[in-house]
């Protein structure tokens, strides 16, 4: 955990430094704060997509009847995905 935390802090410092010193096209053309907001939005959206994809893969071998009553949206999504077209 220590190694990955150090890498995370280093990467955040590097990326935010580049954004706020206007060394990217977006932050040079508009406000660095807008570029920062776009970056945070894109990362948040990507984490939700990746999390959903991981849940679909993880729930593949699980019988849908086990969670159909407690998690109806998940049951609908996984049954649609695993059924196919």
């Amino acid at each position: 955990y220590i190694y990955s935390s150090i890498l995370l802090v280093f990467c955040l410092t590097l990326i935010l430094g580049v954004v706020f010193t206007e060394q990217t096209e977006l932050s040079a053309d508009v406000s660095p704060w807008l570029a920062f907001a776009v970056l945070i939005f894109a990362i948040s959206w990507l984490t939700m997509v990746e999390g959903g994809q991981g849940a679909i893969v993880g729930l593949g071998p699980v019988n849908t009847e086990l969670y159909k009553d407690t998690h109806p949206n998940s049951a609908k999504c996984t049954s649609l995905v695993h059924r196919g077209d």
Side-chain angles (χ1 to χ4, degrees), residues 29-49:
D29 293 341
V30 297
S31 168
W33 287 103
L34 180 61
F36 176 70
V38 169
L39 176 68
I40 295 300
F41 173 77
I43 290 173
S44 300
W45 179 75
L46 181 63
T47 57
M48 286 188 285
V49 170

